[in-house]
Amino acid sequence: MIDLVVPGDRDRASLPDCGGACHAHRPARMIAQGTGRLNLRNRRPVKTPEVDCARAPLTMSAETDVRKHYRTCHLCEAICGVEIRLRGSEILSVRGDPNDPFSRGHICPKAVGLKDVHEDPDRLRHPLKRTPNGWRRIGWDEAIDEVAERIVAIQAAHGHDAVATYLGNPTVHSYSALLSSVVLSRALRSRNRYSATSVDQLPHHLAALLMFGHQFLLPIPDIDRTDYLMVLGANPVASNGSLMTAPDVAHRLKAVRARGGHMVVVDPRRSETASLADRHLFIRPGSDALLLFAMIHVLFAEKMVAPGRLLPFVDGIETIERLAARFAPEAVADATGIPADEIRTLAREFASARSAVCHGRIGTSTQSFGSLCQWLIQVLHVLTGNLDRAGGAMFTAPAFDLVARTRGTSQAGHYNRRRTRVRGLPEFSGEFPVAALAEEMDTPGPGQIRALITSAGNPVLSTPNGTRLEKALGGLEFMASVDFYLNETTRHANIILPPTFALERDHYDLVFHLLAIRNTVKYSLPLYEPAPDTRHDWQILQGISARIAAHDPKRRAGLVDRLRARWLTPERVLALGLRFGPRGAGWNPLAKGLTLSKLANLPHGLDLGPLQPCLPGRLGPNARISLAPVPFVADVERLAGELSKATTLPALRLIGRRDLRSNNSWMHNSQRLVKGPRRCTLLMHPTDAARLGIDDSARVSVRSRAGAIAVDAELSDEVMPGVVCLPHGWGHDRPGTRLSVANAHPGASINDLTDELAVDAVSGNAAFSGVPVTVEAIANSRRGDGQRA
């Protein structure tokens, strides 16, 4: 059951409807008015709560034995508030929480996944060990001990770098896993660290580091106040916002036009977001940087450069003018597929709007010029005065401030201190690009990866050339996975250690409050007590770390360090970060600021207000904006070479897409989310299909340098000619998994086609978008759900 509540005014007061008068919500009034002191209550899940407000963390409703629990949905970046109704331990419904000041009652269809994953019979609850006779359940001590013993032995024989780690996307949805992964990295002392960051967002962090001085100082589109929104290679209506946390984003986008603003979508596909725009422009995949440079060219040529108050602390404007001179609209029109006059119109509209912002996401990040795209988007904001301005691109001020807490440390970010062994790709903040993971495992020699620990990740389906990666996994000496599914990746593990699911632990969004379009704060208590003989993610990760130290005397910490590690749990780190953050109470017990205790009694969260101008104060060490970082400037010549290739483009280019009911690969074992019409189809323009003799719904073979798949064609003019489009996250036809629903709806993996050799040259981020492919009809084939060819 899903109840979608019509959102109210976005500036609704942050207090609940009771005005803070009830016992459960008195803390909200106290924080708003700056009075009083609070002790923590109800920190643990309770079976029969007795409170006096229907908006408390866990309450009784008028219906006999029906309880209500309020928390954040963690299944995507939107962090929507949900109301979960229960009878006993049975979840009766998942609804939007109308008193959540950020999501205002909105939820998307994925919210039922909270119930489905928690109750999924395929979800693992206990450790498994792979044996010649199949998987065998083992105890926690045995599992963690064996992982530590094998890791220490392999590192003793081959060096620390022989063991690698991979952290998947769900890691950022668990603050405890995020914090504890740092502990594991320190214990391993390996330079071979990989994560989903270099799958689709590394260019954003690199641009933030080189331009603003910190990898987490990411400009966020202020879509609630903008007068002009240009969406470039993004589909927030389907993604719910990505690196732009924005619940009920469709309503917010409609509001741009409703208040007299304009929205333009530039994308090779006429997406769900494009349907809400004033106009949509097709663009050839991978040519976004050319478009952005041409717009910047127009700004200089027509004397529309106006950085305003930013000018005193901006360096490099003259360099940008020189670089843009060769990218006139006429020069890039053929390569982008956008007429020169249309490019000039975009530049003029953007520069003349009272406020304007460009949101560039997956399509601009996962291409061979991903770093240049993210750089030029921010250059556009600076040159038009739309950086750090209401309605433009702004910076958050979260209650737990990762920027302030890590400033001056290595966690603020660093780049290119070393390179990968085989191909020489650069590291970023201690991680190597995941596009290099397979070759680092299957290429013999000193430094070869011989063991792998994965956490909350399925890189066989989510990283380029999954076929090569799964072969490399099969050749490892040892692999351990912290995951509660036996999926396409974890099936290769020797030990699987399943953590509890989100409803059994507390929740705070360390990352997504940092990326939100509005300053908010929210902490959710666990709904359920963990089942007996289970472990939280942080207990597993820190347990492995401690056992590694116990097995290797050289890594054994001193008494003080051991006591500190034992006391400093993720919850205490969170409590300290909030208390001593920019909105915290600090040492003063009578202060009005935030503490974890106060947030625990505010189940709907608090609205902390719109984003505010903060520059130059929030910038990095030199408090200046570097508009022309050397690595980006050096890559412009490579971009200019694309102009001569405009007439030699391959016949078809492959791009990805996302569905509202899906989130990468990890929501496909819910029957309610995969039922209905097939969604894993290859979109193809009718003119391309006619040229190749392909009919609608025909079975086709799609081939690239990396591999081949078979999938059903779907003819549509929503993709531009020369482009084909396939959703990501599918490919559940691999043997040896325990995903009964997903196995029945396998689809085909786009990452059996993407090429691990294709990367953004500056950052090493995977270049998924624009992969050259061939498509041909499969004779005498029946319609299917997709599979590897």
Side-chain angles (χ1 to χ4, degrees):
M1 175 179 179
I2 299 179
D3 295 345
L4 296 180
V5 180
V6 177
D9 180 45
R10 72 176 185 275
D11 291 319
R12 173 191 303 199
S14 60
L15 289 178
D17 292 345
C18 62
C22 77
H23 181 72
H25 281 114
R26 189 158 52 96
R29 187 183 74 245
M30 295 161 67
I31 291 174
Q33 297 175 352
T35 61
R37 178 181 177 185
L38 176 71
N39 290 321
L40 181 61
R41 295 178 64 254
N42 294 335
R43 289 304 307 277
R44 301 298 177 192
V46 292
K47 295 181 179 179
T48 54
E50 296 179 1
V51 289
D52 55 1
C53 177
R55 288 167 295 281
L58 187 60
T59 74
M60 286 287 194
S61 76
E63 298 179 59
T64 304
D65 298 330
V66 175
R67 300 176 293 152
K68 299 177 184 178
H69 171 77
Y70 297 92
R71 69 182 299 107
T72 297
C73 176
H74 75 295
L75 297 178
C76 75
E77 296 185 33
I79 64 174
C80 296
V82 295
E83 174 194 278
I84 302 176
R85 298 192 177 194
L86 308 95
R87 179 177 288 113
S89 61
E90 179 190 4
I91 296 177
L92 302 176
S93 66
V94 180
R95 306 180 180 186
D97 177 8
N99 291 297
D100 185 297
F102 195 26
S103 59
R104 306 168 305 191
H106 172 81
I107 55 172
C108 79
K110 287 192 292 292
V112 296
L114 292 170
K115 170 181 170 67
D116 292 348
V117 175
H118 180 76
E119 299 175 355
D120 190 350
D122 289 336
R123 181 166 68 90
L124 304 178
R125 271 76 170 177
H126 307 285
L128 295 179
K129 178 178 181 177
R130 182 154 52 88
T131 74
N133 297 319
W135 292 98
R136 176 172 65 87
R137 175 178 168 177
I138 60 175
W140 282 102
D141 287 341
E142 179 185 351
I144 292 176
D145 265 336
E146 180 162 345
V147 172
E149 289 174 5
R150 295 291 301 275
I151 293 299
V152 169
I154 290 171
Q155 289 188 316
H158 304 287
H160 288 145
D161 294 341
V163 177
T165 56
Y166 174 82
L167 304 180
N169 169 271
T171 303
V172 298
H173 297 267
S174 168
Y175 83 90
S176 56
L178 196 62
L179 294 173
S180 298
S181 65
V182 177
V183 177
L184 178 63
S185 294
R186 289 171 180 166
L188 291 173
R189 301 181 182 180
S190 171
R191 296 185 299 177
N192 273 311
R193 294 165 49 198
Y194 302 83
S195 80
T197 297
S198 54
V199 172
D200 62 31
Q201 70 186 61
L202 182 51
H204 294 262
H205 294 290
L206 181 58
L209 174 65
L210 298 183
M211 297 182 74
F212 310 126
H214 200 294
Q215 64 170 325
F216 296 136
L217 204 54
L218 298 165
I220 308 301
D222 187 13
I223 61 174
D224 281 350
R225 293 182 290 180
T226 194
D227 294 294
Y228 190 90
L229 174 62
M230 183 168 78
V231 180
L232 190 61
N235 188 12
V237 171
S239 68
N240 285 329
S242 181
L243 294 186
M244 180 185 74
T245 296
D248 194 15
V249 68
H251 180 269
R252 297 175 191 271
L253 295 180
K254 291 176 183 177
V256 174
R257 298 180 65 188
R259 61 177 176 263
H262 297 275
M263 182 170 74
V264 179
V265 173
V266 183
D267 199 285
R269 173 178 167 243
R270 191 171 60 251
S271 64
E272 294 86 346
T273 300
S275 68
L276 303 181
D278 291 276
R279 68 184 189 276
H280 165 253
L281 301 174
F282 283 126
I283 186 171
R284 291 198 173 106
S287 65
D288 307 82
L290 293 173
L291 169 65
L292 290 164
F293 245 140
M295 292 177 65
I296 292 168
H297 175 99
V298 174
L299 296 182
F300 283 107
E302 300 187 8
K303 303 187 184 308
M304 292 187 289
V305 173
R309 72 173 190 86
L310 303 175
L311 185 59
F313 49 92
V314 173
D315 298 321
I317 292 180
E318 298 81 3
T319 301
I320 298 298
E321 181 176 16
R322 174 177 58 80
L323 294 173
R326 66 198 300 183
F327 296 100
E330 289 76 13
V332 308
D334 287 343
T336 61
I338 301 177
D341 288 345
E342 190 65 66
I343 296 173
R344 285 194 169 82
T345 298
L346 283 175
R348 291 164 182 163
E349 289 177 345
F350 200 94
S352 62
R354 286 184 302 175
S355 62
V357 68
C358 176
H359 176 50
R361 191 52 194 104
I362 296 292
T364 58
S365 301
T366 60
Q367 57 163 282
S368 59
F369 296 101
S371 292
L372 293 194
C373 285
Q374 298 309 321
W375 166 50
L376 293 172
I377 286 172
Q378 302 313 326
V379 169
L380 184 64
H381 289 148
V382 171
L383 294 180
T384 57
N386 281 297
L387 182 72
D388 200 40
R389 180 167 78 179
M394 305 193 74
F395 301 94
T396 55
F400 190 111
D401 191 351
L402 287 172
V403 173
R405 284 182 61 83
T406 58
R407 180 174 284 127
T409 73
S410 63
Q411 291 178 315
H414 49 81
Y415 168 65
N416 201 21
R417 291 183 177 178
R418 57 183 180 272
R419 290 185 170 254
T420 59
R421 175 181 64 104
V422 178
R423 208 186 326 169
L425 297 181
E427 65 81 36
F428 179 84
S429 292
E431 291 185 3
F432 286 132
V434 74
L437 180 57
E439 66 194 31
E440 292 294 325
M441 290 191 289
D442 66 18
T443 304
Q448 179 184 4
I449 294 174
R450 299 170 184 271
L452 176 68
I453 299 176
T454 67
S455 180
N458 193 358
V460 167
L461 295 189
S462 60
T463 65
N465 198 345
T467 301
R468 180 179 182 181
L469 179 62
E470 65 181 343
K471 290 179 181 177
L473 293 177
L476 291 173
E477 294 181 24
F478 181 76
M479 177 177 168
S481 293
V482 181
D483 203 296
F484 49 62
Y485 278 123
L486 182 50
N487 60 31
E488 291 77 13
T489 296
T490 63
R491 70 192 178 107
H492 295 280
N494 299 89
I495 303 286
I496 302 178
L497 305 103
T500 55
F501 183 55
L503 299 184
E504 299 166 285
R505 61 176 187 258
D506 62 341
H507 182 80
Y508 182 88
D509 283 294
L510 280 181
V511 172
F512 300 120
H513 286 307
L514 181 74
L515 303 176
I517 61 169
R518 192 172 179 88
N519 290 313
T520 63
V521 61
K522 185 175 180 180
Y523 173 72
S524 302
L525 293 166
L527 172 57
Y528 296 109
E529 290 280 7
D533 198 27
T534 59
R535 298 288 187 275
H536 295 308
D537 46 27
W538 68 271
Q539 293 173 315
I540 299 170
L541 295 171
Q542 293 193 15
I544 294 172
S545 304
R547 301 291 176 87
I548 287 174
H551 284 285
D552 184 356
K554 295 180 181 179
R555 289 185 257 200
R556 195 166 297 162
L559 177 61
V560 173
D561 289 335
R562 291 201 304 272
L563 290 175
R564 181 172 55 193
R566 186 180 184 88
W567 182 86
L568 203 59
T569 63
E571 183 182 45
R572 288 195 174 110
V573 173
L574 175 61
L576 291 170
L578 291 169
R579 178 176 286 277
F580 296 102
R583 304 174 189 272
W587 290 113
N588 186 354
L590 301 178
K592 64 180 180 180
L594 289 172
T595 66
L596 186 60
S597 300
K598 294 176 182 178
L599 285 181
N601 284 278
L602 297 172
H604 312 290
L606 283 175
D607 179 18
L608 302 177
L611 307 185
Q612 298 292 336
C614 62
L615 300 186
R618 199 149 164 81
L619 292 171
N622 64 2
R624 300 189 66 79
I625 296 172
S626 176
L627 214 58
V630 172
F632 298 152
V633 172
D635 199 39
V636 172
E637 193 63 35
R638 184 173 67 95
L639 177 67
E642 294 296 296
L643 297 175
S644 61
K645 299 178 183 179
T647 59
T648 60
L649 292 173
L652 294 173
R653 291 267 185 158
L654 175 68
I655 63 172
R657 70 178 186 270
R658 185 163 172 176
D659 183 83
L660 185 61
R661 291 176 174 268
S662 180
N663 190 11
N664 303 328
S665 66
W666 51 293
M667 292 304 298
H668 292 159
N669 215 46
S670 166
Q671 180 61 39
R672 283 182 284 196
L673 295 181
V674 298
K675 68 180 181 180
R678 288 186 179 90
R679 296 196 295 277
C680 190
T681 59
L682 185 77
L683 293 182
M684 173 180 277
H685 194 276
T687 58
D688 291 323
R691 175 174 55 84
L692 297 171
I694 295 172
D695 297 325
D696 191 33
S697 298
R699 196 75 169 159
V700 297
S701 171
V702 189
R703 295 184 178 275
S704 71
R705 187 208 69 85
I709 62 169
V711 69
D712 293 339
E714 181 180 350
L715 307 191
S716 173
D717 64 0
E718 73 179 55
V719 292
M720 68 185 297
V723 172
V724 291
C725 179
L726 190 71
H728 69 269
W730 300 88
H732 305 293
D733 58 337
R734 267 87 170 171
T737 65
R738 292 185 188 175
L739 299 166
S740 56
V741 175
N743 294 158
H745 303 79
S749 176
I750 191 173
N751 286 318
D752 287 335
L753 298 171
T754 55
D755 193 340
E756 81 280 15
L757 301 182
V759 297
D760 167 32
V762 181
S763 69
N765 196 92
F768 295 106
S769 188
V771 175
V773 296
T774 59
V775 181
E776 60 182 21
I778 300 176
N780 302 319
S781 65
R782 292 184 298 175
R783 179 177 177 177
D785 194 64
Q787 63 186 48
R788 289 182 288 176

